[in-house]
Amino acid sequence: MRWEDLTSGEIDKFDRTTPVVLNIAAIEQHGPHLPVNTDALIGGLFMDELGKSLGDAVLILPQVKVCCSAHHMDYPGTLSVRHETLIAYVGDILDSVAAHGFRNIVIVNSHGGNKAVGQVILEKFGAAHRDCRVVFLTWWTMAGKELAAIRESGFGGVGHACEFETAVLMHGVPECVRTDLIAGLSYVPTYSWANSDMLSAGRASLYRSMREISGGSGVVGDASLASADKGKAITDVVVGQLSEIVSSLRNAPPAR
């Protein structure tokens, strides 16, 4: 259920073991064929499906849309906040949830630029709230094995505005996809030890702007392989995995 749709009294009736879920996303360029709210749309779609799956066994917080996208600032339309800002803001939201007695919290990330800062939020909040159980996950990492079986592209085909992200929007919000502007593979390789995509991590991390990684296109991956059917398969896999994780927290022993 959506936190913001309930009254204070209705929220107060929830068992405090009910998992509370927060999606952190992004407003940033996604090439010529996807809107700047792509990560927020994807995260919102997953939250909608999670709510349908679990009903009143989950509370879904208002989405945090503008997060850490400094590596996209070469492109108009991108909005970004400092890592310190996001840590403080999300931390304050989670502090509020904990103050109302809820003890199971899941942060669901739908933007690559939030992965590192999300881990910091997890560790900072977790250390300060030892009586809470807090989880941080990124959707394509959480369901990596299952998603690898769905992808058709080779290395570099899934990254940003890619086979996966384009497919999910073709399924969930097809009217927002500019299909006539979809192109083939776009990825600029670098050192062998730093090459990576959504499902294949490099041996070490190398900072590169999105302009550098994409060769200026704003796209990393192969959106030409996207389809609505593939988007539904991705959504089903991700929501299934997410539902399992969220549900497992409700009956777990208290955190210490």
Side-chain angles (χ1 to χ4, degrees), residues 46-216:
F46 294 160
M47 293 301 98
D48 287 344
E49 294 301 315
L50 179 68
K52 292 175 186 177
S53 174
L54 298 184
D56 61 4
V58 66
L59 281 168
I60 299 171
L61 290 168
Q63 186 181 49
V64 178
K65 289 187 176 183
V66 179
C67 295
C68 299
S69 299
H71 53 302
H72 287 270
M73 286 302 293
D74 288 328
Y75 298 89
T78 298
L79 302 176
S80 186
V81 301
R82 293 177 296 118
H83 292 92
E84 296 85 355
T85 302
L86 190 67
I87 291 168
Y89 186 68
V90 172
D92 285 351
I93 293 172
L94 301 187
D95 283 344
S96 298
V97 172
H100 295 306
F102 292 93
R103 292 294 176 261
N104 291 317
I105 298 170
V106 181
I107 306 167
V108 177
N109 175 37
S110 55
H111 165 54
N114 294 336
K115 290 181 74 174
V117 71
Q119 187 66 28
V120 173
I121 293 168
L122 171 79
E123 295 181 13
K124 184 177 176 66
F125 181 84
H129 296 271
R130 296 292 294 276
D131 58 337
C132 290
R133 184 177 286 102
V134 58
V135 177
F136 172 76
L137 62 89
T138 297
W139 68 261
W140 58 88
T141 303
M142 173 194 65
K145 181 180 178 180
E146 293 76 14
L147 292 173
I150 294 172
R151 76 182 291 177
E152 295 180 84
S153 61
F155 176 81
V158 290
H160 178 76
C162 59
E163 176 185 359
F164 282 177
E165 290 191 325
T166 304
V168 172
L169 291 192
M170 283 180 167
H171 161 62
V173 199
E175 64 274 15
C176 80
V177 182
R178 285 68 163 173
T179 55
D180 58 317
L181 298 177
I182 291 175
L185 180 64
S186 175
Y187 177 76
V188 178
T190 182
Y191 300 101
S192 61
W193 47 263
N195 283 320
S196 64
D197 68 10
M198 270 182 166
L199 302 185
S200 304
R203 289 181 286 145
S205 296
L206 174 71
Y207 178 81
R208 295 198 291 164
S209 70
M210 184 51 60
R211 180 176 292 279
E212 184 178 359
I213 300 170
S214 69

